[in-house]
Amino acid sequence: MRKWFIRSAWLAGSFLAAVAALFVFAWFKAEADMARTYDVSDPPLVLRGDAAERERGEHLYTVTGCVECHGEAGRGKVFIDAGPVAYVVAPNLTPAVVAGRYDADRLAVAIRHGVGPDGRPLRVMPSADFMNLSDADTAALVAYLQSLPDSDNDPGTTEIRPLGRVLAMMGKFHLVPAADIDHGPRTRVAPPAGPTAEYGAYLAQVCTGCHGMGWTGQRVPGTPPELPPAPNLTAHATGLAGWTEADFVRVLREGKRPDGGEVHPFMPWRSYGRMSDDEMQALWRHLSALPPKAGLPRQAPG
């Protein structure tokens, strides 16, 4: 009996030591990842400075999902409160807060590269969704941000908690998206705007953070287990097979699946639903033409 007790205590102690070592390693790895610096030297933005550019930027701020994280008028808000994983704050982007640190080009680097003015990566900033945003659209988005009314709102500070650091180490939480982006300088040009599959592919980049780079669906990294995975958006039987364009538009305009069920509230359909008819049609033409690929169980995009 005594030997059994000693052995059990030894095993329990070894297990606790291993867990502690895992958390310590994950903690310091996350610190190292967040301390790394990136050199970005994209060509300088060219801003027109007119009302049409700012209006385009306001539209992009909504339909690309920026508003979902940073809130109305860029005042910032708590985006994720995932207990032991992370407390993620999307900061205030109004000029009163960022003007001293971010000029137009630094804002562009933050958007498309996920890198701050000190060269360090921005935590959880989904820049992989925006890394191919055209120079003209990036300029429009920056022009809109620079025109926002000042706000002194302080939404708090992001905290990456112990479990979040372990998940990041295991590739289950995108703590530093900048690590996966090509930071080489290049010019970015969008295809002509219109109801085409080519333009839809350009718009659909912002869907990849949740639905995966192949649009086949995935469990969104870092989200709690009770949140359903983002579904397959290809024409596979587990995805959009059998859907019509009207079904797709209804999801984004009304948050309703073809069967009338409600889309999960995590899906920012209200923002995407403000796309123009041409943008909506372009997105549908791109997604409906994707080769069918097996993915997660069939759901509506949400």
Side-chain angles (χ1 to χ4, degrees):
M1 183 69 177
R2 184 170 177 273
K3 289 183 178 180
W4 178 88
F5 179 79
I6 293 173
R7 183 177 300 174
S8 297
W10 183 87
L11 289 173
S14 298
F15 174 76
L16 291 174
V19 170
L22 174 67
F23 276 95
V24 169
F25 181 79
W27 184 276
F28 284 103
K29 183 180 187 305
E31 289 296 311
D33 290 344
M34 292 185 289
R36 180 182 174 185
T37 59
Y38 296 83
D39 181 26
V40 181
S41 54
D42 277 341
L45 285 184
V46 178
L47 279 70
R48 298 196 313 268
D50 56 22
E53 182 177 56
R54 292 189 293 275
E55 289 172 5
R56 172 65 176 168
E58 182 176 13
H59 178 71
L60 289 168
Y61 183 81
T62 299
V63 302
T64 62
C66 303
V67 68
E68 296 296 324
C69 295
H70 292 278
E72 294 294 335
R75 292 187 291 268
K77 67 176 188 177
V78 176
F79 176 53
I80 296 174
D81 185 355
V85 176
Y87 181 80
V88 181
V89 174
N92 184 331
L93 297 179
T94 65
V97 175
V98 305
R101 297 179 297 127
Y102 288 91
D103 59 13
D105 290 322
R106 288 189 182 278
L107 281 171
V109 168
I111 292 166
R112 297 192 293 195
H113 293 268
V115 174
D118 60 357
R120 294 185 178 186
L122 300 173
R123 294 171 292 179
V124 199
M125 169 64 187
S127 289
D129 293 2
F130 302 99
M131 61 185 178
N132 294 316
L133 193 69
S134 75
D135 294 343
D137 279 346
T138 303
L141 186 53
V142 167
Y144 170 66
L145 293 177
Q146 292 182 325
S147 73
L148 290 171
D150 288 337
S151 169
D152 61 1
N153 180 51
D154 182 2
T157 303
T158 292
E159 298 176 15
I160 308 301
R161 293 167 175 162
L163 182 56
R165 293 168 185 254
V166 172
L167 292 174
M169 182 182 68
M170 298 170 63
K172 302 297 184 181
F173 180 42
H174 290 167
L175 173 58
V176 182
D180 301 319
I181 292 174
D182 178 2
H183 298 292
R186 58 193 173 95
T187 298
R188 300 165 177 84
V189 179
T196 64
E198 182 184 20
Y199 190 61
Y202 172 73
L203 296 174
Q205 294 174 97
V206 298
C207 305
T208 58
C210 288
H211 295 275
M213 296 303 292
W215 295 283
T216 55
Q218 63 175 356
R219 178 160 292 285
V220 182
T223 55
E226 62 270 18
L227 188 74
N232 190 339
L233 294 183
T234 75
H236 191 270
T238 60
L240 300 183
W243 283 49
T244 66
E245 183 177 344
D247 292 331
F248 180 75
V249 169
R250 188 184 184 200
V251 166
L252 296 184
R253 296 280 194 228
E254 303 175 27
K256 300 280 190 181
R257 299 187 179 94
D259 63 5
E262 299 282 344
V263 171
H264 192 280
F266 186 78
M267 163 64 179
W269 62 268
R270 289 179 178 82
S271 295
Y272 297 147
R274 292 174 65 180
M275 288 183 181
S276 69
D277 291 342
D278 277 359
E279 288 171 328
M280 198 83 69
Q281 190 172 45
L283 192 57
W284 168 252
R285 288 182 173 176
H286 165 65
L287 294 174
S288 62
L290 290 173
K293 294 181 182 178
L296 298 174
R298 180 171 183 164
Q299 300 178 51

